[in-house]
Amino acid sequence: MKEESPANTPSENQNVSGLERHGYGLGDLASNLYFQMFNMFLLYYYTDVFGIGAAVVANIFLFSRFFDAINDPLMGIIADRTRTRWGSFRPYILWFAIPFGITGYLMFYSPQLSGNAKIAYAAVTYVLCGMAYTAVNIPYSGLMAVISKSASQRARVSATRFIYAFLGGFVIVQFLPSLKNAFGSGDEILGFRYTMALFAIIATILFFITFLTTKERIKPDPQQQSRSDILASLKILFTERPYLVLVLAGLLNLTAVAIKNASNIYYFKYIAGNADEVASFGGGGWIAMILGVMFTGVLIKFFEKRQLIIWLTILGGIGMAAPFWIDPSARISNPGLSTGPFSLFGLQLNNIEFIPENARWIYLINLIGSFAAGPPVALVWSMYTDVASYIDWKHKRRIAGLVVSAAVFSQKFGQAIGGWFAASLLAAFGFQANQTQGEDAKLAILLLFSIVPGTLIIIQGALIFFYPLNAKRLHTIESDLAQRNT
């Protein structure tokens, strides 16, 4: 059960308005129009549309993360030491929104190339987009640590943020297939190109809104400038257990999610026999996760945050692994939930099926597991800001940017490892794009869809047992910081 804490918090003047919470959340909608596009469709795009071998794609994914090993912490250090009239973190959202939009579009531009030139283009644009993502997303994530001194307020901001993050995933999985078909008229290259152009424009505008509606309330430490100070901050990070637990947990989570999302379209195309089902399957899962996040505020009134994350994460992992034992042809009768055909931007699109009529059993399992996965994702990100407060309290160092840079790096590195592993396993088991798959390739797809990501998620939940910052300790930290600042 949740630990009791005094009713009056020391940061009552740190309340974040609804407008600001939603303005901040729109930034993660912008991020996830890219991040979830990469998670769910980039491997498929490279292998089945752009025409690159799975083993080559695996190497591109892995190679690009060597740049992030330097770029991400460097961006965190730079943001921590930035001093402008807009604050330390918000300026980067303004400055890099447009480069973020342009590089994402270029990834899916698909020029007429062949051989090594095609591979080079994919690698260069993927790296450039990763660098732009770093430049805007690390400051964006760091902003949550300085948006309020109150841990409870930051948890509310995080919950709102992830409603929009999951909405981004829903938009991608539901609208990308229809938009791609409508824009491309059967040409998947053109379909992806024009759809990504639309998402790039929307993402850029959303980041501008985030910049305009947010505020930094915790002022930077003017003494944090020197090289020795940077080295000391890095040393602190890698000796603090709360930080190390969260980084490893984040790496496990994003690796699992990348594997699962990348495998969805392969599962429905080559095993279930209907690639179009990926939209309804994924869309239902994202809606369930959004509902889970919306219930987060209720759940943390009755359960301590750390315990809630542990058990819901393990439940979500079990749900993710379960389809390994479910016959893909087994169906359940239900009335279905669909919108019917509709028009968007003048384009006639297919109906959205949140749950298709006569759905497969894996839909029900996916809904339960996705609902359970919603609250932990939002709460874990609020934990990163708690760690930043803990380091400020213990070491008198405000290094929120550096702390969240590790979160973003583990996110991107997990995505890369997951994509690399999925592509490598497909290549090793004889996968051939756009052909009938042998039993070995089908087994690889099924493992990627169920057992592998489910096991990683269960391990992640168990790892949170070792996270030491409970509600009582956080309240003490918050009170002490308020007294020190006064």
Side-chain angles (χ1 to χ4, degrees), residues 86-273:
W86 298 311
S88 298
F89 301 102
R90 292 173 61 239
Y92 294 98
I93 299 173
L94 175 66
W95 296 336
F96 286 95
I98 292 177
F100 177 82
I102 292 173
T103 54
Y105 167 72
L106 290 176
M107 283 183 62
F108 292 87
Y109 181 73
S110 305
Q112 294 295 322
L113 300 171
S114 60
N116 291 333
K118 179 180 289 188
I119 295 171
Y121 182 86
V124 170
T125 54
Y126 185 63
V127 169
L128 287 175
C129 188
M131 294 175 68
Y133 187 94
T134 292
V136 72
N137 206 263
I138 285 177
Y140 169 78
S141 299
L143 174 59
M144 192 168 73
V146 297
I147 208 168
S148 175
K149 296 177 183 177
S150 168
S152 61
Q153 286 293 314
R154 293 195 301 268
R156 291 187 66 197
V157 172
S158 183
T160 304
R161 168 189 180 178
F162 279 95
I163 290 175
Y164 284 99
F166 296 156
L167 179 61
F170 172 78
V171 167
I172 292 299
V173 76
Q174 284 289 177
F175 289 98
L176 184 138
S178 296
L179 288 171
K180 171 176 65 70
N181 294 336
F183 282 133
S185 300
D187 186 333
E188 281 198 302
I189 289 180
L190 291 180
F192 271 103
R193 179 186 298 172
Y194 295 138
T195 301
M196 195 61 197
L198 175 63
F199 289 153
I201 292 169
I202 294 173
T204 301
I205 294 171
L206 291 177
F207 270 129
F208 287 148
I209 295 173
T210 296
F211 169 79
L212 292 171
T213 56
T214 53
K215 179 181 179 181
E216 297 186 21
R217 292 176 176 81
I218 300 178
K219 303 303 179 184
D221 185 348
Q223 297 179 355
Q224 289 182 195
Q225 299 288 343
S226 67
R227 177 182 176 185
S228 61
D229 177 78
I230 294 173
L231 295 176
S233 297
L234 289 170
K235 181 179 179 180
I236 287 170
L237 280 184
F238 290 103
T239 56
E240 287 295 347
R241 191 173 79 180
Y243 172 82
L244 296 175
V245 168
L246 286 186
V247 169
L248 183 54
L251 180 61
L252 289 170
N253 179 271
L254 269 299
T255 301
V257 169
I259 291 171
K260 180 66 164 61
N261 286 342
S263 67
N264 284 348
I265 191 167
Y266 292 99
Y267 178 86
F268 286 103
K269 181 176 181 178
Y270 296 110
I271 295 182

